[in-house]
Amino acid sequence: MIGLTLHKHSEKAIEVSFKELTGKEELSLAKFGGTEMDEMYWLLEQIITDISSNNNRMKLDELTLSDFDQCVSHLYEQLYGTRVNCEVHCQSCTEGFEFDIELIDFKNTIFASKDDYSLNEDGTYVATGYGEVFTLPKVADLDDLKKYPAEKWLDKFLISGNCNHEKLQEHIEAAGPLMSQDISAQCPSCDETNLVRFDLTRYCLQSLKEEQKFLLKEVHIIANKYGWNLDEILLLTRNVRRQFASFIIADNKVLRAYS
């Protein structure tokens, strides 16, 4: 899988290396349980082989929530491409409808205000025109969110400046946007505009879990053809496993056509 560079135009660039997803991770994910964040954290831990900045290795916990979401986006794009198909029910007429989100355009939109903030060498951000200095929440900070009220949790990210919680929240969301956002979607049946929650982590996990039935069919096809055991097949990368299964299916169709 192609690697990912975070903050590529900054002195704080972070390089993230991935290995390809295998059936072992796919099958384990289906049985994992826990929150969506827990599941995605576990999955990224399995497939990220290295995180480093200026030759210093980092842990997944040390990434900001925004950078974590960029890793999720990278995984989704490598597996499914840049377009996400969303299915919702209209809040007005209750009719179901679908719409697509192009991730490249989506990220350009939510990162549009990032240029209003400068990233210092120590990892703090400065709000241009305001003077507040703050940090972004990291993955490790989520544990504290369960222990403290949201406002007290926010206090730890303000380094200097006079800033209320609402303004600080705005700064954090603009400097480190997440891939979970409220977006507008127009219902084709009644033309009403719906405010719906788009959460890429949820879509990515749902897509992988829905594919489990195909994974088991592919395992059966390959095992039946080559006599390989379950562990051997699950260690194949997702792409290689799918190619093997498609070759076998194609061969069977040719044989049936000439029989």
Side-chain angles (χ1 to χ4, degrees), residues 130-148:
Y130 292 93
E132 288 95 355
V133 180
F134 61 95
T135 60
L136 296 180
K138 296 182 179 180
V139 176
D141 293 317
L142 287 178
D143 285 340
D144 287 339
L145 184 57
K146 302 173 185 177
K147 304 174 185 176
Y148 305 108

Side-chain angles (χ1 to χ4, degrees), residues 1-141:
M1 187 179 289
I2 300 171
L4 170 67
T5 301
L6 302 164
H7 311 288
K8 62 176 65 179
H9 301 301
S10 164
E11 294 180 2
K12 296 288 292 184
I14 299 173
E15 300 292 339
V16 186
S17 301
F18 296 77
K19 77 176 186 69
E20 288 196 59
L21 190 67
T22 71
K24 181 180 179 182
E25 289 92 35
E26 291 175 272
L27 193 59
S28 297
L29 179 64
K31 304 174 182 177
F32 187 82
T35 67
E36 290 171 348
M37 181 62 183
D38 290 338
E39 291 181 328
M40 183 54 71
Y41 182 93
W42 176 86
L43 182 59
L44 289 180
E45 272 207 317
Q46 307 310 304
I47 63 174
I48 289 178
T49 57
D50 183 68
I51 307 173
S52 60
S53 178
N54 294 326
N55 295 320
N56 295 316
R57 298 197 69 177
M58 300 174 61
K59 296 180 179 179
L60 190 57
D61 276 344
E62 298 177 78
L63 292 183
T64 67
L65 295 178
S66 180
D67 289 342
F68 182 92
D69 273 12
Q70 292 309 300
C71 292
V72 176
S73 179
H74 183 75
L75 170 62
Y76 187 94
E77 291 174 44
Q78 295 299 307
L79 295 177
Y80 303 110
T82 61
R83 191 174 297 274
V84 184
N85 178 257
C86 306
E87 300 179 6
V88 297
H89 281 85
C90 178
Q91 297 155 0
S92 179
C93 71
T94 71
E95 287 292 322
F97 67 96
E98 299 180 16
F99 62 95
D100 289 338
I101 290 180
E102 176 56 56
L103 288 177
I104 295 175
D105 295 336
F106 180 74
K107 285 188 282 190
N108 286 338
T109 299
I110 65 174
F111 278 95
S113 300
K114 191 173 176 63
D115 291 340
D116 296 335
Y117 301 87
S118 57
L119 175 60
N120 297 323
E121 289 187 15
D122 61 359
T124 58
Y125 283 81
V126 180
T128 306
Y130 292 93
E132 288 95 355
V133 180
F134 61 95
T135 60
L136 296 180
K138 296 182 179 180
V139 176
D141 293 317

Side-chain angles (χ1 to χ4, degrees), residues 173-232:
E173 290 177 354
L178 302 178
M179 298 295 290
S180 56
Q181 301 275 339
D182 290 328
I183 60 174
S184 297
Q186 188 174 23
C187 174
S189 297
C190 68
D191 292 330
E192 284 294 320
T193 298
N194 290 254
L195 189 65
V196 298
R197 190 68 175 175
F198 172 72
D199 188 336
L200 187 60
T201 291
R202 178 173 300 168
Y203 278 98
C204 189
L205 290 171
Q206 285 177 346
S207 297
L208 283 168
K209 290 177 181 179
E210 287 170 1
E211 289 182 347
Q212 186 186 9
K213 57 181 178 292
F214 301 113
L215 163 63
L216 297 177
K217 287 180 180 178
E218 289 160 0
V219 169
H220 173 73
I221 289 169
I222 295 170
N224 192 50
K225 176 68 174 181
Y226 301 118
W228 298 347
N229 65 42
L230 178 62
D231 290 338
E232 290 174 320

